[in-house]
mmCIF file of all heavy atoms in Angstrom:
data_model
loop_
_atom_site.group_PDB
_atom_site.id
_atom_site.type_symbol
_atom_site.label_atom_id
_atom_site.label_comp_id
_atom_site.label_asym_id
_atom_site.label_seq_id
_atom_site.Cartn_x
_atom_site.Cartn_y
_atom_site.Cartn_z
ATOM 1 N N LYS A 289 -29.100 2.467 -12.201
ATOM 2 C CA LYS A 289 -28.570 3.529 -11.431
ATOM 3 C C LYS A 289 -29.115 3.451 -9.985
ATOM 4 O O LYS A 289 -28.355 3.601 -9.023
ATOM 5 C CB LYS A 289 -29.061 4.860 -12.016
ATOM 6 C CG LYS A 289 -28.637 6.092 -11.253
ATOM 7 C CD LYS A 289 -29.028 7.373 -11.991
ATOM 8 C CE LYS A 289 -30.496 7.554 -12.058
ATOM 9 N NZ LYS A 289 -30.885 8.864 -12.657
ATOM 10 N N GLU A 290 -30.374 3.044 -9.796
ATOM 11 C CA GLU A 290 -30.946 2.967 -8.504
ATOM 12 C C GLU A 290 -30.302 1.873 -7.651
ATOM 13 O O GLU A 290 -30.064 2.026 -6.467
ATOM 14 C CB GLU A 290 -32.450 2.734 -8.605
ATOM 15 C CG GLU A 290 -33.240 3.903 -9.148
ATOM 16 C CD GLU A 290 -33.130 4.041 -10.697
ATOM 17 O OE1 GLU A 290 -32.638 3.060 -11.329
ATOM 18 O OE2 GLU A 290 -33.600 5.055 -11.232
ATOM 19 N N ALA A 291 -29.991 0.687 -8.318
ATOM 20 C CA ALA A 291 -29.324 -0.386 -7.623
ATOM 21 C C ALA A 291 -27.947 0.029 -7.207
ATOM 22 O O ALA A 291 -27.520 -0.333 -6.075
ATOM 23 C CB ALA A 291 -29.287 -1.664 -8.473
ATOM 24 N N GLN A 292 -27.217 0.743 -7.964
ATOM 25 C CA GLN A 292 -25.878 1.165 -7.631
ATOM 26 C C GLN A 292 -25.966 2.181 -6.433
ATOM 27 O O GLN A 292 -25.139 2.088 -5.521
ATOM 28 C CB GLN A 292 -25.252 1.840 -8.799
ATOM 29 C CG GLN A 292 -24.851 0.898 -9.879
ATOM 30 C CD GLN A 292 -24.079 1.568 -11.028
ATOM 31 O OE1 GLN A 292 -22.923 1.992 -10.805
ATOM 32 N NE2 GLN A 292 -24.634 1.671 -12.148
ATOM 33 N N ILE A 293 -26.945 3.033 -6.445
ATOM 34 C CA ILE A 293 -27.129 3.996 -5.319
ATOM 35 C C ILE A 293 -27.346 3.219 -4.035
ATOM 36 O O ILE A 293 -26.811 3.572 -3.029
ATOM 37 C CB ILE A 293 -28.285 4.943 -5.598
ATOM 38 C CG1 ILE A 293 -27.836 5.912 -6.759
ATOM 39 C CG2 ILE A 293 -28.647 5.780 -4.394
ATOM 40 C CD1 ILE A 293 -28.941 6.753 -7.283
ATOM 41 N N LEU A 294 -28.196 2.146 -4.078
ATOM 42 C CA LEU A 294 -28.445 1.385 -2.900
ATOM 43 C C LEU A 294 -27.169 0.668 -2.378
ATOM 44 O O LEU A 294 -26.897 0.550 -1.224
ATOM 45 C CB LEU A 294 -29.511 0.347 -3.119
ATOM 46 C CG LEU A 294 -30.923 0.964 -3.304
ATOM 47 C CD1 LEU A 294 -31.967 -0.182 -3.605
ATOM 48 C CD2 LEU A 294 -31.369 1.736 -2.070
ATOM 49 N N CYS A 295 -26.329 0.228 -3.349
ATOM 50 C CA CYS A 295 -25.052 -0.343 -2.970
ATOM 51 C C CYS A 295 -24.161 0.658 -2.255
ATOM 52 O O CYS A 295 -23.517 0.344 -1.252
ATOM 53 C CB CYS A 295 -24.343 -0.931 -4.193
ATOM 54 S SG CYS A 295 -25.069 -2.407 -4.877
ATOM 55 N N PHE A 296 -24.104 1.883 -2.765
ATOM 56 C CA PHE A 296 -23.342 2.926 -2.113
ATOM 57 C C PHE A 296 -23.888 3.218 -0.721
ATOM 58 O O PHE A 296 -23.176 3.430 0.222
ATOM 59 C CB PHE A 296 -23.373 4.239 -2.902
ATOM 60 C CG PHE A 296 -22.658 4.137 -4.257
ATOM 61 C CD1 PHE A 296 -23.206 4.725 -5.375
ATOM 62 C CD2 PHE A 296 -21.428 3.486 -4.387
ATOM 63 C CE1 PHE A 296 -22.557 4.649 -6.601
ATOM 64 C CE2 PHE A 296 -20.796 3.395 -5.588
ATOM 65 C CZ PHE A 296 -21.387 3.978 -6.741
ATOM 66 N N GLN A 297 -25.201 3.218 -0.594
ATOM 67 C CA GLN A 297 -25.832 3.548 0.675
ATOM 68 C C GLN A 297 -25.474 2.532 1.751
ATOM 69 O O GLN A 297 -25.297 2.838 2.884
ATOM 70 C CB GLN A 297 -27.351 3.565 0.497
ATOM 71 C CG GLN A 297 -28.119 3.843 1.774
ATOM 72 C CD GLN A 297 -29.607 3.863 1.586
ATOM 73 O OE1 GLN A 297 -30.071 3.785 0.432
ATOM 74 N NE2 GLN A 297 -30.375 3.943 2.651
ATOM 75 N N CYS A 298 -25.367 1.201 1.337
ATOM 76 C CA CYS A 298 -25.116 0.216 2.353
ATOM 77 C C CYS A 298 -23.645 -0.221 2.391
ATOM 78 O O CYS A 298 -23.319 -1.303 2.964
ATOM 79 C CB CYS A 298 -26.039 -0.963 2.196
ATOM 80 S SG CYS A 298 -26.024 -1.843 0.609
ATOM 81 N N GLY A 299 -22.752 0.573 1.778
ATOM 82 C CA GLY A 299 -21.373 0.289 2.121
ATOM 83 C C GLY A 299 -20.369 0.252 1.013
ATOM 84 O O GLY A 299 -19.176 0.225 1.212
ATOM 85 N N ALA A 300 -20.753 0.194 -0.264
ATOM 86 C CA ALA A 300 -19.788 0.133 -1.349
ATOM 87 C C ALA A 300 -19.072 1.474 -1.409
ATOM 88 O O ALA A 300 -19.767 2.522 -1.439
ATOM 89 C CB ALA A 300 -20.468 -0.113 -2.713
ATOM 90 N N ASN A 301 -17.808 1.512 -1.354
ATOM 91 C CA ASN A 301 -17.064 2.785 -1.417
ATOM 92 C C ASN A 301 -15.886 2.801 -2.355
ATOM 93 O O ASN A 301 -14.925 3.494 -2.158
ATOM 94 C CB ASN A 301 -16.616 3.187 0.004
ATOM 95 C CG ASN A 301 -15.754 2.171 0.704
ATOM 96 O OD1 ASN A 301 -15.591 1.071 0.250
ATOM 97 N ND2 ASN A 301 -15.160 2.553 1.812
ATOM 98 N N SER A 302 -15.997 1.946 -3.406
ATOM 99 C CA SER A 302 -15.012 1.979 -4.474
ATOM 100 C C SER A 302 -15.638 1.335 -5.703
ATOM 101 O O SER A 302 -16.466 0.474 -5.595
ATOM 102 C CB SER A 302 -13.716 1.167 -4.082
ATOM 103 O OG SER A 302 -12.816 1.183 -5.089
ATOM 104 N N ILE A 303 -15.253 1.842 -6.886
ATOM 105 C CA ILE A 303 -15.704 1.305 -8.159
ATOM 106 C C ILE A 303 -14.548 1.240 -9.138
ATOM 107 O O ILE A 303 -13.584 1.959 -9.000
ATOM 108 C CB ILE A 303 -16.860 2.115 -8.773
ATOM 109 C CG1 ILE A 303 -16.430 3.568 -9.042
ATOM 110 C CG2 ILE A 303 -18.117 2.075 -7.923
ATOM 111 C CD1 ILE A 303 -17.413 4.356 -9.866
ATOM 112 N N PHE A 304 -14.610 0.290 -10.023
ATOM 113 C CA PHE A 304 -13.733 0.319 -11.152
ATOM 114 C C PHE A 304 -14.305 1.340 -12.134
ATOM 115 O O PHE A 304 -15.524 1.290 -12.471
ATOM 116 C CB PHE A 304 -13.574 -1.040 -11.830
ATOM 117 C CG PHE A 304 -12.566 -1.894 -11.156
ATOM 118 C CD1 PHE A 304 -12.872 -3.163 -10.621
ATOM 119 C CD2 PHE A 304 -11.227 -1.461 -11.057
ATOM 120 C CE1 PHE A 304 -11.904 -3.958 -10.038
ATOM 121 C CE2 PHE A 304 -10.266 -2.219 -10.417
ATOM 122 C CZ PHE A 304 -10.631 -3.464 -9.906
ATOM 123 N N TYR A 305 -13.459 2.147 -12.625
ATOM 124 C CA TYR A 305 -13.816 3.365 -13.359
ATOM 125 C C TYR A 305 -13.212 3.432 -14.659
ATOM 126 O O TYR A 305 -11.978 3.319 -14.821
ATOM 127 C CB TYR A 305 -13.348 4.539 -12.465
ATOM 128 C CG TYR A 305 -13.619 5.933 -12.926
ATOM 129 C CD1 TYR A 305 -14.911 6.453 -12.911
ATOM 130 C CD2 TYR A 305 -12.559 6.773 -13.282
ATOM 131 C CE1 TYR A 305 -15.119 7.791 -13.261
ATOM 132 C CE2 TYR A 305 -12.798 8.083 -13.717
ATOM 133 C CZ TYR A 305 -14.078 8.620 -13.634
ATOM 134 O OH TYR A 305 -14.300 9.860 -14.022
ATOM 135 N N GLY A 306 -14.036 3.465 -15.716
ATOM 136 C CA GLY A 306 -13.484 3.467 -17.099
ATOM 137 C C GLY A 306 -14.330 2.554 -17.961
ATOM 138 O O GLY A 306 -15.165 1.817 -17.491
ATOM 139 N N ASP A 307 -14.125 2.615 -19.274
ATOM 140 C CA ASP A 307 -15.013 1.934 -20.203
ATOM 141 C C ASP A 307 -14.853 0.416 -20.273
ATOM 142 O O ASP A 307 -15.644 -0.258 -20.893
ATOM 143 C CB ASP A 307 -14.798 2.498 -21.617
ATOM 144 C CG ASP A 307 -15.144 4.025 -21.639
ATOM 145 O OD1 ASP A 307 -15.823 4.493 -20.678
ATOM 146 O OD2 ASP A 307 -14.839 4.679 -22.658
ATOM 147 N N GLU A 308 -13.751 -0.109 -19.726
ATOM 148 C CA GLU A 308 -13.496 -1.540 -19.882
ATOM 149 C C GLU A 308 -12.811 -2.098 -18.635
ATOM 150 O O GLU A 308 -11.958 -1.425 -18.033
ATOM 151 C CB GLU A 308 -12.613 -1.769 -21.100
ATOM 152 C CG GLU A 308 -12.438 -3.230 -21.492
ATOM 153 C CD GLU A 308 -11.665 -3.371 -22.808
ATOM 154 O OE1 GLU A 308 -12.302 -3.224 -23.870
ATOM 155 O OE2 GLU A 308 -10.448 -3.672 -22.761
ATOM 156 N N LEU A 309 -13.166 -3.368 -18.285
ATOM 157 C CA LEU A 309 -12.512 -4.052 -17.198
ATOM 158 C C LEU A 309 -11.846 -5.312 -17.813
ATOM 159 O O LEU A 309 -12.520 -6.311 -18.079
ATOM 160 C CB LEU A 309 -13.528 -4.529 -16.166
ATOM 161 C CG LEU A 309 -14.330 -3.431 -15.402
ATOM 162 C CD1 LEU A 309 -15.231 -4.091 -14.415
ATOM 163 C CD2 LEU A 309 -13.358 -2.437 -14.804
ATOM 164 N N LEU A 310 -10.536 -5.227 -18.076
ATOM 165 C CA LEU A 310 -9.799 -6.281 -18.649
ATOM 166 C C LEU A 310 -10.444 -6.639 -19.998
ATOM 167 O O LEU A 310 -10.056 -6.129 -21.052
ATOM 168 C CB LEU A 310 -9.668 -7.486 -17.782
ATOM 169 C CG LEU A 310 -8.867 -7.296 -16.497
ATOM 170 C CD1 LEU A 310 -8.774 -8.574 -15.632
ATOM 171 C CD2 LEU A 310 -7.469 -6.785 -16.752
ATOM 172 N N THR A 311 -11.448 -7.534 -20.038
ATOM 173 C CA THR A 311 -12.065 -7.945 -21.325
ATOM 174 C C THR A 311 -13.597 -7.777 -21.303
ATOM 175 O O THR A 311 -14.259 -8.257 -22.236
ATOM 176 C CB THR A 311 -11.721 -9.461 -21.621
ATOM 177 O OG1 THR A 311 -12.218 -10.230 -20.527
ATOM 178 C CG2 THR A 311 -10.236 -9.638 -21.783
ATOM 179 N N THR A 312 -14.152 -7.118 -20.286
ATOM 180 C CA THR A 312 -15.572 -6.883 -20.305
ATOM 181 C C THR A 312 -15.865 -5.407 -20.226
ATOM 182 O O THR A 312 -15.036 -4.655 -19.758
ATOM 183 C CB THR A 312 -16.271 -7.564 -19.094
ATOM 184 O OG1 THR A 312 -15.681 -7.127 -17.891
ATOM 185 C CG2 THR A 312 -16.036 -9.104 -19.165
ATOM 186 N N SER A 313 -17.024 -4.994 -20.668
ATOM 187 C CA SER A 313 -17.344 -3.571 -20.697
ATOM 188 C C SER A 313 -17.745 -3.058 -19.288
ATOM 189 O O SER A 313 -18.029 -3.855 -18.362
ATOM 190 C CB SER A 313 -18.526 -3.310 -21.668
ATOM 191 O OG SER A 313 -19.643 -4.053 -21.316
ATOM 192 N N ASN A 314 -17.749 -1.747 -19.168
ATOM 193 C CA ASN A 314 -18.017 -1.099 -17.913
ATOM 194 C C ASN A 314 -18.685 0.260 -18.197
ATOM 195 O O ASN A 314 -18.551 0.771 -19.333
ATOM 196 C CB ASN A 314 -16.656 -0.838 -17.182
ATOM 197 C CG ASN A 314 -16.800 -0.559 -15.693
ATOM 198 O OD1 ASN A 314 -17.520 -1.246 -15.012
ATOM 199 N ND2 ASN A 314 -16.115 0.466 -15.235
ATOM 200 N N PRO A 315 -19.462 0.776 -17.314
ATOM 201 C CA PRO A 315 -20.048 2.126 -17.533
ATOM 202 C C PRO A 315 -18.972 3.160 -17.889
ATOM 203 O O PRO A 315 -17.862 3.109 -17.402
ATOM 204 C CB PRO A 315 -20.769 2.480 -16.218
ATOM 205 C CG PRO A 315 -21.041 1.144 -15.616
ATOM 206 C CD PRO A 315 -19.893 0.296 -15.985
ATOM 207 N N SER A 316 -19.294 4.094 -18.724
ATOM 208 C CA SER A 316 -18.313 5.131 -19.133
ATOM 209 C C SER A 316 -17.990 6.023 -17.959
ATOM 210 O O SER A 316 -18.797 6.166 -16.996
ATOM 211 C CB SER A 316 -18.853 5.986 -20.286
ATOM 212 O OG SER A 316 -19.940 6.849 -19.799
ATOM 213 N N PHE A 317 -16.837 6.622 -17.973
ATOM 214 C CA PHE A 317 -16.452 7.488 -16.852
ATOM 215 C C PHE A 317 -17.322 8.736 -16.792
ATOM 216 O O PHE A 317 -17.583 9.260 -15.688
ATOM 217 C CB PHE A 317 -14.961 7.849 -16.906
ATOM 218 C CG PHE A 317 -14.570 8.832 -17.974
ATOM 219 C CD1 PHE A 317 -14.631 10.228 -17.731
ATOM 220 C CD2 PHE A 317 -14.113 8.434 -19.228
ATOM 221 C CE1 PHE A 317 -14.283 11.129 -18.714
ATOM 222 C CE2 PHE A 317 -13.719 9.304 -20.200
ATOM 223 C CZ PHE A 317 -13.811 10.685 -19.941
ATOM 224 N N GLN A 318 -17.877 9.190 -17.948
ATOM 225 C CA GLN A 318 -18.798 10.314 -17.949
ATOM 226 C C GLN A 318 -20.097 9.945 -17.195
ATOM 227 O O GLN A 318 -20.623 10.702 -16.351
ATOM 228 C CB GLN A 318 -19.144 10.733 -19.318
ATOM 229 C CG GLN A 318 -17.945 11.275 -20.140
ATOM 230 C CD GLN A 318 -17.319 10.285 -21.050
ATOM 231 O OE1 GLN A 318 -17.375 9.075 -20.797
ATOM 232 N NE2 GLN A 318 -16.780 10.775 -22.148
ATOM 233 N N ASP A 319 -20.604 8.730 -17.409
ATOM 234 C CA ASP A 319 -21.822 8.285 -16.770
ATOM 235 C C ASP A 319 -21.617 8.140 -15.266
ATOM 236 O O ASP A 319 -22.426 8.495 -14.420
ATOM 237 C CB ASP A 319 -22.318 6.938 -17.346
ATOM 238 C CG ASP A 319 -22.929 7.069 -18.712
ATOM 239 O OD1 ASP A 319 -23.246 8.199 -19.128
ATOM 240 O OD2 ASP A 319 -23.034 6.104 -19.405
ATOM 241 N N ASP A 320 -20.422 7.578 -14.916
ATOM 242 C CA ASP A 320 -20.120 7.406 -13.507
ATOM 243 C C ASP A 320 -19.927 8.761 -12.769
ATOM 244 O O ASP A 320 -20.405 8.961 -11.638
ATOM 245 C CB ASP A 320 -18.813 6.610 -13.298
ATOM 246 C CG ASP A 320 -18.993 5.130 -13.477
ATOM 247 O OD1 ASP A 320 -20.178 4.643 -13.279
ATOM 248 O OD2 ASP A 320 -18.068 4.411 -13.833
ATOM 249 N N ARG A 321 -19.364 9.713 -13.459
ATOM 250 C CA ARG A 321 -19.142 11.038 -12.911
ATOM 251 C C ARG A 321 -20.511 11.676 -12.601
ATOM 252 O O ARG A 321 -20.735 12.243 -11.501
ATOM 253 C CB ARG A 321 -18.381 11.862 -13.871
ATOM 254 C CG ARG A 321 -17.751 13.083 -13.283
ATOM 255 C CD ARG A 321 -16.715 13.739 -14.171
ATOM 256 N NE ARG A 321 -17.211 14.027 -15.482
ATOM 257 C CZ ARG A 321 -16.609 13.523 -16.592
ATOM 258 N NH1 ARG A 321 -15.628 12.674 -16.530
ATOM 259 N NH2 ARG A 321 -17.077 13.854 -17.805
ATOM 260 N N LYS A 322 -21.464 11.539 -13.513
ATOM 261 C CA LYS A 322 -22.829 12.080 -13.323
ATOM 262 C C LYS A 322 -23.509 11.380 -12.167
ATOM 263 O O LYS A 322 -24.187 12.045 -11.350
ATOM 264 C CB LYS A 322 -23.600 12.011 -14.580
ATOM 265 C CG LYS A 322 -24.980 12.700 -14.427
ATOM 266 C CD LYS A 322 -25.734 12.657 -15.801
ATOM 267 C CE LYS A 322 -27.047 13.422 -15.708
ATOM 268 N NZ LYS A 322 -27.844 13.038 -14.575
ATOM 269 N N LEU A 323 -23.383 10.013 -12.159
ATOM 270 C CA LEU A 323 -24.050 9.279 -11.128
ATOM 271 C C LEU A 323 -23.574 9.663 -9.726
ATOM 272 O O LEU A 323 -24.351 9.887 -8.812
ATOM 273 C CB LEU A 323 -23.813 7.758 -11.321
ATOM 274 C CG LEU A 323 -24.296 6.819 -10.189
ATOM 275 C CD1 LEU A 323 -25.778 6.923 -10.069
ATOM 276 C CD2 LEU A 323 -23.891 5.372 -10.494
ATOM 277 N N LEU A 324 -22.246 9.785 -9.546
ATOM 278 C CA LEU A 324 -21.690 10.142 -8.259
ATOM 279 C C LEU A 324 -22.075 11.575 -7.845
ATOM 280 O O LEU A 324 -22.270 11.812 -6.653
ATOM 281 C CB LEU A 324 -20.174 9.918 -8.230
ATOM 282 C CG LEU A 324 -19.706 8.489 -8.392
ATOM 283 C CD1 LEU A 324 -18.223 8.380 -8.473
ATOM 284 C CD2 LEU A 324 -20.202 7.574 -7.293
#
């Protein structure tokens, strides 16, 4: 979570959102919602 926050701080302004990216896993949208 801390690393993602630092990425947002220095310029990341978009994420893929949802439990899966094509064939690999991704943080759940609930976790992302809380993080943001």
Side-chain angles (χ1 to χ4, degrees):
K289 178 175 68 174
E290 292 78 12
Q292 291 185 67
I293 291 171
L294 291 177
C295 287
F296 294 139
Q297 180 181 352
C298 58
N301 58 351
S302 181
I303 59 172
F304 276 124
Y305 180 71
D307 297 347
E308 188 174 281
L309 300 181
L310 295 182
T311 59
T312 60
S313 59
N314 198 47
S316 71
F317 72 88
Q318 294 99 330
D319 288 342
D320 280 336
R321 197 165 56 237
K322 185 177 186 305
L323 173 62
L324 294 176

